[in-house]
């Protein structure tokens, strides 16, 4: 039997559905809408295995904040009605046949990345359902990312058009430009255009930093801020070696619970 693992970036999906609702206190509507969305995803993707991965709502900002204290420091807290309704949402999804994986100290992104790579590296098909472009660094012939809300694939042509670099260079790209939404500073004075120029000439930040051919206008910036670039790259990269505590058989998708 061929494997197709579908991984739902759960809070990414739930927050977008919830924010579009006229009444933020109407969790029943969130449950109905997300369940309808998942049924469409199931119909379109025909998964053999499926799981929804959640950040634990009580966790701290994780290992990234230890490297960069300002990381996600100003992120908005989850709306209280939504936080109170998460258990009901997970229960509704369970009845659809979708188990939930809650992070415990690690960010959901790293759990998703670890599970996705473990399966894709064995040549099996993986689809991550998320609008988060951070997952694009994982792209491979057997691993794809679907932005359900924009009805598009976040694939190699999308990355080329959006960033002008290869998927494998995205952590270097964000190490240079930073990620403003997560309070990741990058290198001051290096924006998307400059990062693209650097990473077109060099494969990585380290290769650029070590080269005498790096343009003088970038040499000064990297010399002054190489430590920040390295930290920001480390934060932008996804962990793929977390102990998951379950195997693929545990998340086989067999349809709604009776």
């Amino acid at each position: 039997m061929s494997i197709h693992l579908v991984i739902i970036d759960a809070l990414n999906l739930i927050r977008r559905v919830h924010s579009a609702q006229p009444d933020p206190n109407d969790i029943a509507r969130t449950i109905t809408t997300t369940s309808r969305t998942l049924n469409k995803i199931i119909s379109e993707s025909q998964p053999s295995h499926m799981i929804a991965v959640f950040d634990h709502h009580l966790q701290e900002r994780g290992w990234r904040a230890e490297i960069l204290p300002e990381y996600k420091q100003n992120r908005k807290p989850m709306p209280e009605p939504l936080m109170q309704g998460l258990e009901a949402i997970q229960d509704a999804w369970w009845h659809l046949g979708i188990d939930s994986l809650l992070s415990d100290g690690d960010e959901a992104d790293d759990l998703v990345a670890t599970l996705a790579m473990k399966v894709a590296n064995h040549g099996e098909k993986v689809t991550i359902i998320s609008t988060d472009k951070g997952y694009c660094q994982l792209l491979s012939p057997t691993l794809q990312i679907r932005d359900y809300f924009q009805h598009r694939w976040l694939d190699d042509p999308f990355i080329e058009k959006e960033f002008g670099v290869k998927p494998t260079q995205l952590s270097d790209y964000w190490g240079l430009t930073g990620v403003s939404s997560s309070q990741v500073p990058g290198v001051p004075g290096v924006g998307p255009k400059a990062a693209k120029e650097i990473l077109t000439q060099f494969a990585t930040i380290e290769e650029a930093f070590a080269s005498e051919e790096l343009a003088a206008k970038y040499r000064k910036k990297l010399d002054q801020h190489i430590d920040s670039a390295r930290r920001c790259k480390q934060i932008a990269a996804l962990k793929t070696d977390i102990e998951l505590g379950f195997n693929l058989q545990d998340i086989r998708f067999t349809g709604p619970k009776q």
Side-chain angles (χ1 to χ4, degrees):
M1 174 187 169
S2 61
I3 289 172
H4 182 199
L5 170 63
V6 174
I7 307 174
I8 306 296
D9 182 359
L11 292 185
N12 178 274
L13 186 151
I14 291 167
R15 281 178 176 271
R16 275 156 183 75
V17 169
H18 184 260
S19 65
Q21 289 180 185
D23 181 1
N25 295 306
D26 189 356
I27 297 303
R29 184 166 180 173
T30 301
I31 292 172
T32 299
T33 306
T34 56
S35 296
R36 187 166 59 241
T37 298
L38 288 173
N39 276 322
K40 287 181 181 177
I41 289 168
I42 291 166
S43 177
E44 291 171 3
S45 59
Q46 296 293 303
S48 65
H49 297 73
M50 194 167 188
I51 193 164
V53 182
F54 287 77
D55 274 314
H56 197 293
H57 63 277
L58 296 177
Q59 79 174 45
E60 297 299 320
R61 289 171 292 129
W63 62 270
R64 289 179 174 87
E66 295 175 11
I67 296 170
L68 189 72
E70 60 266 39
Y71 173 71
K72 288 190 176 179
Q73 203 167 41
N74 298 326
R75 67 177 177 178
K76 292 181 180 179
M78 185 183 297
E80 188 63 29
L82 187 54
M83 186 181 293
Q84 295 299 324
L86 279 183
E87 192 171 327
I89 293 171
Q90 290 162 6
D91 185 61
W93 290 13
W94 182 84
H95 280 92
L96 293 176
I98 305 166
D99 278 321
S100 295
L101 173 63
L102 272 68
S103 63
D104 185 17
D106 295 293
E107 288 192 79
D109 294 4
D110 297 318
L111 292 174
V112 170
T114 296
L115 178 56
M117 292 300 290
K118 186 183 288 283
V119 174
N121 285 342
H122 283 85
E124 304 291 355
K125 184 177 178 182
V126 179
T127 302
I128 299 171
I129 306 293
S130 181
T131 65
D132 187 346
K133 299 178 183 70
Y135 291 122
C136 293
Q137 61 193 279
L138 305 174
L139 282 168
S140 76
T142 57
L143 193 156
Q144 57 189 1
I145 298 103
R146 179 68 171 171
D147 179 347
Y148 174 84
F149 296 97
Q150 295 292 326
H151 305 291
R152 63 186 179 184
W153 295 100
L154 305 185
D155 52 13
D156 286 48
F158 172 83
I159 297 305
E160 173 61 35
K161 184 178 180 181
E162 185 86 353
F163 302 105
V165 300
K166 298 173 183 175
T168 54
Q169 293 178 299
L170 282 170
S171 60
D172 290 274
Y173 178 89
W174 289 314
L176 293 168
T177 65
V179 183
S180 59
S181 61
S182 298
Q183 291 81 59
V184 177
V187 175
V190 175
K193 184 178 178 182
K196 177 183 175 181
E197 190 172 318
I198 293 169
L199 294 173
T200 297
Q201 185 177 4
F202 305 100
T204 66
I205 290 170
E206 294 299 338
E207 189 178 306
F209 182 63
S211 176
E212 294 181 0
E213 295 180 14
L214 180 65
K217 59 184 176 180
Y218 301 137
R219 166 58 58 199
K220 183 177 180 181
K221 290 180 172 65
L222 275 190
D223 282 349
Q224 290 178 346
H225 300 286
I226 187 61
D227 288 342
S228 176
R230 287 168 173 159
R231 283 199 309 274
C232 294
K233 175 182 175 177
Q234 186 179 357
I235 284 166
L238 294 168
K239 275 189 175 184
T240 58
D241 59 355
I242 295 171
E243 185 63 43
L244 294 172
F246 64 91
N247 60 44
L248 206 56
Q249 183 61 35
D250 296 328
I251 57 172
R252 182 180 292 278
F253 181 73
T254 56
K257 308 290 184 187
Q258 300 301 320

